[in-house]
Amino acid sequence: MIVVVRQLNIVSESWLTRQLALISPLVESIVVVDYYEQKKFAGIPVTSIDPRAELSYRLYNSVKKQDYKKVIKKRLERILTKSSSSVVLFHYIDFALGFYDVIKQTQKKIYIHCHGYDVTWDLRSHTNPNRKHFSSDYVSKVLKLSKHAFFIANSKCTKEKLLDIKIPENRVLTKYFGIQENEKRPLPNKFTILYVGRLVDFKGADIVINAFELACEQGLEGELIIAGDGALRTTVELLKIKSKYQDRIQILGSVNSEKVKALMQKASIFTAHNCKGLLTGQEEAFGVTLIEAMSYGIPIITGSVGGVNEIIVDKKTGYLIEPFNIQQHANAFLGYYRSALLLQKHGEEGHNLVKIKFSEEQEFNFFKSLVH
């Protein structure tokens, strides 16, 4: 298998590096479009096809302008032609569309992994919700692409969005992410609520702060840690500054995977407030950090929307709340705060569910079936 990605080692895409490490025995090479200095990743050869860091390209370009997109298309086409691998995996639909001509011409089997924003057909900008993220012909281009590629949906929710635009069902495969089974940690001494994820409207970090404040007013003694960065960073920083419980709220910004592991060890519960974003119109297609938290035996509280409903079992591995219902979210905080027994029981149920439904083995076997 050849894996084609836009970038590697993006903090918000740690799932990608985990997935590549997991399926490394099946991968012949990784092709990265943007510049990537390393020649190997998880033991897999890496080829960067970005010419902009090359002196010869810059010198030639100063004399005779080259079309950057044409250069990277030719380079990918050359790699695919020379490779003996029969399978190519792209990540994200909109990225794969940039190589439509290459995909159309190759004799190899093409799979495109879909992740959420790329199947939000009416996606809007965080900074200007009146502006569409994708071009008016995006859907028609995706339909054309479906004649030459198969789509890997990361949830049933994502699959339904693909079927909504009339992509044939036999062109769509559904695969959940797998997560390493982690050892359950003992209940922390201090009640700590953890949010890890991008600060975007459909994950609702701002609403989490509102719910935390309400729970504190009703007797909760604990802290809220928010780890992540994104378009709503200014919003959450302002909410903290204005809060009378600001000394109990930490906003850490972007953190690496090692820091996330440390935060999981001290978390009592994991939360977000998943909803259909009021600015972007996007909703959570899956939620890798949710299953990661469950793998540590941490119960989840979040909104009932999108692919989240395929992860959390309400009142068993956590609480699924009505999106935008702040009181319900605060009540869920208080429920766990007041019952260590419930906290432990739901955490154990989530830990067991990960082993059954979201194991690394099931994800590896899925990719193995594609190449054999």
Side-chain angles (χ1 to χ4, degrees):
M1 179 191 300
I2 298 173
V3 180
V4 187
V5 296
R6 184 183 286 114
Q7 295 172 301
L8 272 179
N9 286 346
I10 304 301
V11 173
S12 62
E13 294 185 351
S14 59
W15 55 264
L16 176 58
T17 56
R18 288 202 301 262
Q19 186 184 87
L20 287 170
L22 173 66
I23 66 172
S24 59
L26 309 173
V27 180
E28 174 191 290
S29 65
I30 301 170
V31 179
V32 185
V33 168
D34 285 358
Y35 178 69
Y36 187 73
E37 187 175 0
Q38 305 300 319
K39 298 301 180 184
K40 284 195 174 183
F41 177 85
I44 310 167
V46 176
T47 302
S48 173
I49 57 174
D50 184 349
R52 291 173 295 184
E54 299 167 9
L55 180 60
S56 58
Y57 175 82
R58 295 202 302 269
L59 290 173
Y60 184 79
N61 222 34
S62 65
V63 178
K64 184 178 179 181
K65 295 295 181 183
Q66 286 182 295
D67 186 328
Y68 165 73
K69 291 182 179 179
K70 284 184 179 179
V71 172
I72 60 172
K73 285 177 185 178
K74 286 180 180 179
R75 291 187 175 191
L76 179 59
E77 187 175 17
R78 194 178 304 124
I79 290 170
L80 297 189
T81 301
K82 290 181 178 179
S83 171
S84 60
S85 178
S86 61
V87 174
V88 184
L89 172 66
F90 286 84
H91 278 280
Y92 299 104
I93 297 176
D94 57 326
F95 171 66
L97 277 173
F99 297 96
Y100 175 78
D101 292 338
V102 178
I103 290 171
K104 183 180 177 181
Q105 292 169 12
T106 185
Q107 297 301 308
K108 301 183 186 299
K109 206 164 189 179
I110 304 295
Y111 293 93
I112 301 169
H113 204 311
C114 315
H115 294 274
Y117 82 84
D118 51 351
V119 296
T120 305
W121 312 121
D122 193 34
L123 183 65
R124 304 293 173 131
S125 164
H126 263 104
T127 55
N128 182 2
N130 294 315
R131 188 176 73 236
K132 290 189 176 185
H133 181 80
F134 296 121
S135 63
S136 58
D137 60 351
Y138 180 62
V139 169
S140 63
K141 286 181 176 179
V142 176
L143 280 169
K144 282 177 62 180
L145 186 61
S146 70
K147 296 177 181 179
H148 310 285
F150 294 87
F151 297 91
I152 299 173
N154 60 356
S155 64
K156 294 176 184 176
C157 171
T158 295
K159 178 180 178 179
E160 288 303 315
K161 291 180 185 296
L162 291 164
L163 299 184
D164 283 346
I165 63 166
K166 309 303 180 186
I167 290 179
E169 190 165 5
N170 64 357
R171 308 296 286 183
V172 183
L173 308 173
T174 304
K175 174 206 62 67
Y176 290 133
F177 282 101
I179 199 77
Q180 179 183 359
E181 182 183 341
N182 291 296
E183 188 175 343
K184 288 186 298 180
R185 69 298 89 93
L187 290 180
N189 294 325
K190 185 176 183 179
F191 192 78
T192 301
I193 300 168
L194 176 64
Y195 172 106
V196 176
R198 288 180 298 132
L199 302 182
V200 288
D201 62 347
F202 64 92
K203 292 180 184 285
D206 53 328
I207 306 174
V208 167
I209 293 176
N210 295 151
F212 176 72
E213 289 178 312
L214 187 55
C216 288
E217 289 172 5
Q218 297 174 22
L220 186 146
E221 294 285 342
E223 67 173 347
L224 170 64
I225 299 175
I226 295 178
D229 211 340
L232 295 188
R233 176 68 181 271
T234 302
T235 301
V236 297
E237 292 284 4
L238 284 171
L239 285 172
K240 175 187 173 178
I241 290 169
K242 293 177 180 179
S243 176
K244 62 180 178 180
Y245 302 103
Q246 62 178 267
D247 59 329
R248 301 194 204 171
I249 302 171
Q250 294 185 54
I251 299 173
L252 305 181
S254 182
V255 295
N256 61 29
S257 58
E258 291 305 312
K259 180 62 175 178
V260 170
K261 289 178 183 178
L263 291 171
M264 293 287 186
Q265 292 292 338
K266 65 185 291 188
S268 305
I269 58 178
F270 188 93
T271 195
H273 192 101
N274 291 113
C275 55
K276 186 170 183 178
L278 296 175
L279 296 170
T280 63
Q282 189 175 348
E283 60 186 15
E284 189 72 84
F286 183 70
V288 178
T289 52
L290 302 181
I291 60 170
E292 185 174 5
M294 288 165 60
S295 77
Y296 285 94
I298 306 172
I300 312 294
I301 300 172
T302 192
S304 176
V305 70
V308 171
N309 293 316
E310 300 170 45
I311 298 174
I312 312 304
V313 182
D314 189 34
K315 300 181 180 64
K316 189 172 181 180
T317 67
Y319 288 110
L320 287 171
I321 58 179
E322 179 187 349
F324 306 110
N325 191 325
I326 297 172
Q327 182 64 68
Q328 199 177 74
H329 200 147
N331 290 345
F333 284 156
L334 290 164
Y336 283 132
Y337 175 66
R338 292 166 179 162
S339 175
L341 182 63
L342 190 65
L343 194 66
Q344 187 167 7
K345 182 182 178 183
H346 285 187
E348 288 177 353
E349 292 280 5
H351 186 263
N352 292 334
L353 183 62
V354 167
K355 290 190 288 185
I356 297 167
K357 192 174 181 180
F358 305 112
S359 69
E360 287 188 325
E361 183 181 12
Q362 61 84 23
E363 184 166 32
F364 180 84
N365 287 339
F366 171 86
F367 283 113
K368 186 177 178 181
S369 71
L370 301 184
V371 299
H372 289 97

Short mmCIF file of all heavy atoms in Angstrom, two decimals, residues 18 26 35-36 54 56-57 60 71 85 90 139 167-168 183 196 212 217 219 226 242 253 293 297 315-316 341 352 357:
data_model
loop_
_atom_site.label_atom_id
_atom_site.label_comp_id
_atom_site.label_asym_id
_atom_site.label_seq_id
_atom_site.Cartn_x
_atom_site.Cartn_y
_atom_site.Cartn_z
N ARG A 18 -0.54 7.61 14.58
CA ARG A 18 -0.83 6.34 15.26
C ARG A 18 -1.28 5.29 14.25
O ARG A 18 -0.88 4.13 14.31
CB ARG A 18 -1.92 6.53 16.33
CG ARG A 18 -1.47 7.28 17.56
CD ARG A 18 -2.36 6.99 18.74
NE ARG A 18 -3.75 7.33 18.51
CZ ARG A 18 -4.32 8.46 18.92
NH1 ARG A 18 -3.60 9.35 19.58
NH2 ARG A 18 -5.58 8.70 18.68
N LEU A 26 2.00 -3.05 6.40
CA LEU A 26 1.24 -3.13 5.15
C LEU A 26 1.61 -2.03 4.17
O LEU A 26 1.16 -2.04 3.02
CB LEU A 26 -0.26 -3.05 5.44
CG LEU A 26 -0.83 -4.00 6.50
CD1 LEU A 26 -2.29 -3.66 6.77
CD2 LEU A 26 -0.69 -5.45 6.05
N TYR A 35 6.55 19.77 2.40
CA TYR A 35 7.93 19.40 2.70
C TYR A 35 8.01 18.63 4.02
O TYR A 35 7.44 19.03 5.03
CB TYR A 35 8.81 20.64 2.78
CG TYR A 35 10.25 20.33 3.14
CD1 TYR A 35 11.06 19.66 2.24
CD2 TYR A 35 10.76 20.68 4.39
CE1 TYR A 35 12.38 19.35 2.57
CE2 TYR A 35 12.08 20.38 4.72
CZ TYR A 35 12.88 19.71 3.81
OH TYR A 35 14.16 19.39 4.13
N TYR A 36 8.73 17.51 4.00
CA TYR A 36 8.95 16.69 5.18
C TYR A 36 10.40 16.25 5.18
O TYR A 36 10.86 15.61 4.24
CB TYR A 36 8.01 15.48 5.17
CG TYR A 36 8.05 14.65 6.44
CD1 TYR A 36 7.49 15.12 7.62
CD2 TYR A 36 8.67 13.40 6.45
CE1 TYR A 36 7.53 14.37 8.78
CE2 TYR A 36 8.71 12.64 7.61
CZ TYR A 36 8.13 13.13 8.77
OH TYR A 36 8.17 12.38 9.93
N GLU A 54 13.53 22.88 -2.89
CA GLU A 54 14.68 22.45 -3.70
C GLU A 54 15.30 23.63 -4.45
O GLU A 54 14.59 24.40 -5.10
CB GLU A 54 14.23 21.37 -4.69
CG GLU A 54 13.68 20.12 -4.01
CD GLU A 54 12.94 19.21 -4.97
OE1 GLU A 54 13.01 19.46 -6.19
OE2 GLU A 54 12.29 18.26 -4.49
N SER A 56 17.18 23.71 -7.11
CA SER A 56 17.05 23.62 -8.57
C SER A 56 15.67 24.13 -9.02
O SER A 56 15.56 24.81 -10.04
CB SER A 56 17.26 22.19 -9.04
OG SER A 56 16.33 21.31 -8.42
N TYR A 57 14.64 23.81 -8.23
CA TYR A 57 13.30 24.27 -8.57
C TYR A 57 13.21 25.79 -8.45
O TYR A 57 12.65 26.45 -9.32
CB TYR A 57 12.27 23.61 -7.64
CG TYR A 57 10.85 24.10 -7.84
CD1 TYR A 57 10.04 23.59 -8.86
CD2 TYR A 57 10.33 25.09 -7.03
CE1 TYR A 57 8.74 24.05 -9.04
CE2 TYR A 57 9.04 25.56 -7.20
CZ TYR A 57 8.25 25.03 -8.21
OH TYR A 57 6.96 25.49 -8.39
N TYR A 60 15.14 27.44 -11.34
CA TYR A 60 14.44 27.30 -12.60
C TYR A 60 13.17 28.16 -12.61
O TYR A 60 12.83 28.78 -13.62
CB TYR A 60 14.07 25.82 -12.83
CG TYR A 60 13.41 25.56 -14.16
CD1 TYR A 60 14.16 25.46 -15.34
CD2 TYR A 60 12.04 25.43 -14.26
CE1 TYR A 60 13.56 25.23 -16.56
CE2 TYR A 60 11.42 25.20 -15.48
CZ TYR A 60 12.19 25.10 -16.63
OH TYR A 60 11.58 24.86 -17.83
N VAL A 71 3.59 20.06 -11.14
CA VAL A 71 4.82 19.39 -10.73
C VAL A 71 4.53 18.27 -9.75
O VAL A 71 5.02 17.14 -9.91
CB VAL A 71 5.82 20.39 -10.11
CG1 VAL A 71 7.03 19.66 -9.52
CG2 VAL A 71 6.27 21.41 -11.15
N SER A 85 3.06 -1.79 -5.70
CA SER A 85 1.87 -1.86 -4.85
C SER A 85 0.61 -1.64 -5.69
O SER A 85 0.58 -0.80 -6.59
CB SER A 85 1.94 -0.81 -3.75
OG SER A 85 0.78 -0.84 -2.96
N PHE A 90 -5.50 7.63 0.08
CA PHE A 90 -5.45 9.07 0.30
C PHE A 90 -6.22 9.41 1.57
O PHE A 90 -7.22 8.77 1.88
CB PHE A 90 -6.11 9.83 -0.87
CG PHE A 90 -5.31 9.87 -2.14
CD1 PHE A 90 -5.37 8.82 -3.05
CD2 PHE A 90 -4.53 10.97 -2.45
CE1 PHE A 90 -4.67 8.85 -4.23
CE2 PHE A 90 -3.82 11.03 -3.64
CZ PHE A 90 -3.88 9.96 -4.53
N VAL A 139 -19.56 18.90 -4.67
CA VAL A 139 -20.32 17.64 -4.61
C VAL A 139 -20.25 16.91 -5.95
O VAL A 139 -20.04 15.69 -6.00
CB VAL A 139 -21.77 17.89 -4.19
CG1 VAL A 139 -22.63 16.63 -4.40
CG2 VAL A 139 -21.85 18.32 -2.73
N ILE A 167 -23.64 8.72 -3.72
CA ILE A 167 -22.51 7.82 -3.99
C ILE A 167 -23.00 6.40 -3.79
O ILE A 167 -23.63 6.09 -2.78
CB ILE A 167 -21.32 8.14 -3.06
CG1 ILE A 167 -20.71 9.49 -3.47
CG2 ILE A 167 -20.26 7.04 -3.10
CD1 ILE A 167 -19.55 9.93 -2.63
N PRO A 168 -22.75 5.49 -4.73
CA PRO A 168 -23.24 4.10 -4.60
C PRO A 168 -22.72 3.45 -3.31
O PRO A 168 -21.56 3.62 -2.94
CB PRO A 168 -22.66 3.41 -5.84
CG PRO A 168 -22.42 4.51 -6.82
CD PRO A 168 -22.03 5.71 -6.00
N GLU A 183 -4.03 0.80 30.37
CA GLU A 183 -4.37 0.30 31.69
C GLU A 183 -5.25 1.31 32.42
O GLU A 183 -4.96 2.52 32.41
CB GLU A 183 -3.10 0.04 32.50
CG GLU A 183 -3.34 -0.66 33.82
CD GLU A 183 -2.04 -1.01 34.53
OE1 GLU A 183 -0.99 -1.00 33.86
OE2 GLU A 183 -2.10 -1.28 35.74
N VAL A 196 -9.99 17.70 25.66
CA VAL A 196 -8.85 17.69 24.75
C VAL A 196 -9.39 17.70 23.33
O VAL A 196 -10.18 16.83 22.94
CB VAL A 196 -7.96 16.44 24.94
CG1 VAL A 196 -6.84 16.43 23.90
CG2 VAL A 196 -7.37 16.40 26.34
N PHE A 212 -19.62 24.12 33.26
CA PHE A 212 -18.76 23.99 34.43
C PHE A 212 -19.10 25.07 35.46
O PHE A 212 -19.21 24.79 36.67
CB PHE A 212 -17.30 24.10 34.00
CG PHE A 212 -16.31 24.08 35.14
CD1 PHE A 212 -16.07 22.91 35.83
CD2 PHE A 212 -15.63 25.24 35.50
CE1 PHE A 212 -15.14 22.89 36.88
CE2 PHE A 212 -14.71 25.22 36.55
CZ PHE A 212 -14.48 24.05 37.24
N GLU A 217 -21.66 26.55 40.67
CA GLU A 217 -22.67 27.28 41.43
C GLU A 217 -23.57 26.35 42.23
O GLU A 217 -24.12 26.73 43.26
CB GLU A 217 -23.52 28.13 40.48
CG GLU A 217 -22.78 29.33 39.90
CD GLU A 217 -23.58 30.04 38.81
OE1 GLU A 217 -24.75 29.66 38.60
OE2 GLU A 217 -23.03 30.97 38.19
N GLY A 219 -22.52 23.49 43.59
CA GLY A 219 -21.79 22.72 44.58
C GLY A 219 -20.58 21.95 44.11
O GLY A 219 -19.88 21.33 44.93
N ILE A 226 -8.67 22.57 29.77
CA ILE A 226 -8.95 22.60 28.34
C ILE A 226 -7.62 22.60 27.60
O ILE A 226 -6.81 23.52 27.74
CB ILE A 226 -9.78 23.84 27.95
CG1 ILE A 226 -11.17 23.75 28.60
CG2 ILE A 226 -9.91 23.96 26.44
CD1 ILE A 226 -12.05 24.95 28.34
N LYS A 242 -13.59 36.21 32.37
CA LYS A 242 -14.83 36.76 32.91
C LYS A 242 -15.44 35.88 34.01
O LYS A 242 -16.34 36.32 34.73
CB LYS A 242 -15.85 36.93 31.78
CG LYS A 242 -15.48 38.00 30.76
CD LYS A 242 -16.50 38.05 29.64
CE LYS A 242 -16.14 39.10 28.61
NZ LYS A 242 -17.13 39.14 27.49
N GLY A 253 -3.71 25.40 25.66
CA GLY A 253 -3.30 25.51 24.27
C GLY A 253 -2.99 24.14 23.70
O GLY A 253 -3.35 23.10 24.27
N ALA A 293 -9.95 8.43 25.69
CA ALA A 293 -10.29 8.60 27.10
C ALA A 293 -10.94 7.34 27.67
O ALA A 293 -10.61 6.90 28.77
CB ALA A 293 -11.24 9.79 27.26
N GLY A 297 -10.40 4.18 30.95
CA GLY A 297 -11.45 3.98 31.94
C GLY A 297 -12.06 5.28 32.42
O GLY A 297 -12.50 5.39 33.57
N LYS A 315 -25.68 6.62 29.62
CA LYS A 315 -25.92 6.12 30.98
C LYS A 315 -25.24 4.77 31.24
O LYS A 315 -25.58 4.05 32.17
CB LYS A 315 -27.41 6.01 31.29
CG LYS A 315 -28.15 7.34 31.19
CD LYS A 315 -29.63 7.18 31.51
CE LYS A 315 -30.36 8.51 31.42
NZ LYS A 315 -30.38 9.06 30.08
N LYS A 316 -24.25 4.43 30.38
CA LYS A 316 -23.49 3.21 30.58
C LYS A 316 -21.99 3.46 30.49
O LYS A 316 -21.23 3.00 31.33
CB LYS A 316 -23.91 2.15 29.56
CG LYS A 316 -23.33 0.79 29.84
CD LYS A 316 -23.91 -0.27 28.91
CE LYS A 316 -23.31 -1.65 29.22
NZ LYS A 316 -23.86 -2.71 28.34
N LEU A 341 -18.90 5.78 42.81
CA LEU A 341 -19.29 4.45 42.34
C LEU A 341 -19.73 4.51 40.88
O LEU A 341 -19.33 3.67 40.05
CB LEU A 341 -20.42 3.90 43.21
CG LEU A 341 -20.90 2.47 42.88
CD1 LEU A 341 -19.77 1.47 43.10
CD2 LEU A 341 -22.11 2.11 43.74
N ASN A 352 -14.11 -1.52 28.66
CA ASN A 352 -14.45 -2.81 28.06
C ASN A 352 -14.95 -2.64 26.63
O ASN A 352 -14.65 -3.46 25.75
CB ASN A 352 -15.51 -3.53 28.91
CG ASN A 352 -14.97 -3.96 30.26
OD1 ASN A 352 -13.77 -4.17 30.40
ND2 ASN A 352 -15.84 -4.07 31.24
N LYS A 357 -14.98 -2.98 20.50
CA LYS A 357 -15.45 -2.26 19.31
C LYS A 357 -14.39 -1.40 18.63
O LYS A 357 -14.45 -1.18 17.42
CB LYS A 357 -16.65 -1.39 19.71
CG LYS A 357 -17.43 -0.79 18.56
CD LYS A 357 -18.68 -0.08 19.09
CE LYS A 357 -19.51 0.52 17.96
NZ LYS A 357 -20.71 1.21 18.47
#
